[in-house]
Amino acid sequence: MRLLIASDIHGSAYFCRKLLEAYDRENAQRMILLGDILYHGPRNDLPMEYAPKEVIRMLNERKQDIYAVRGNCEAEVDQMVLDFPVLADYMLLFEKSGDGGSADREVAVYATHGHVYNEKKLPPMNPGDVLLHGHTHILRADCVDGIWILNPGSVSLPKEGNPPTYAVLENGVFTIKELDGKTVKEVAV
């Protein structure tokens, strides 16, 4: 299954629109949102075209395609206005890795926002598993001590000079892309 993964929209209608355009262009079957969907948070400046009500409308129109986890900026009121679940702390995904041959394996992907579980505080994981998170606003795709640490970066408020990004996960390949589709980094997990 082709998954589009994004984090940290922070209420930006402009970047949410760009993300949905990327979702359509990528022909993904599902969109995984790693939290901080509506609120900009007290430590962030307002993102471009901050309009949470517009983000609500756009995402609710795609509710059947979205799986989401709770970020540190989500609250119960967010669940009251969004038509898809947003208050789970994590979700487990299982991704096929390989080219379809006998050497294929299934990879466990622990998807979370990153404010509770992250590289410094891992959930229970085995070598070869994937920790997929946002929160830092910094894109990442590295293997550390046998665990893959993947972060799609931030759609609206990237840090450390990174562009706004999202990721695609398909057949064990994690590709981080700019909103226009240009590949920034790609790894096979």
Side-chain angles (χ1 to χ4, degrees), residues 90-126:
Y90 68 94
M91 75 176 85
L92 291 176
L93 306 167
F94 294 92
E95 173 70 10
K96 289 279 188 193
S97 181
D99 59 8
S102 61
D104 283 2
R105 60 187 178 87
E106 197 165 67
V107 175
V109 179
Y110 187 98
T112 190
H113 181 61
H115 64 295
V116 176
Y117 288 106
N118 50 57
E119 182 182 348
K120 293 178 181 171
K121 184 181 176 189
L122 291 172
M125 302 187 90
N126 292 314

Side-chain angles (χ1 to χ4, degrees), residues 33 37 59-60 62-63 66-68 79 82-86:
L33 296 178
I37 297 169
L59 293 178
N60 280 344
R62 308 279 188 119
K63 66 184 177 186
I66 298 172
Y67 297 144
Q79 187 61 81
L82 290 168
D83 294 337
F84 52 91
V86 297

Side-chain angles (χ1 to χ4, degrees), residues 5 21 42 124 168:
I5 302 162
E21 290 169 7
V168 172

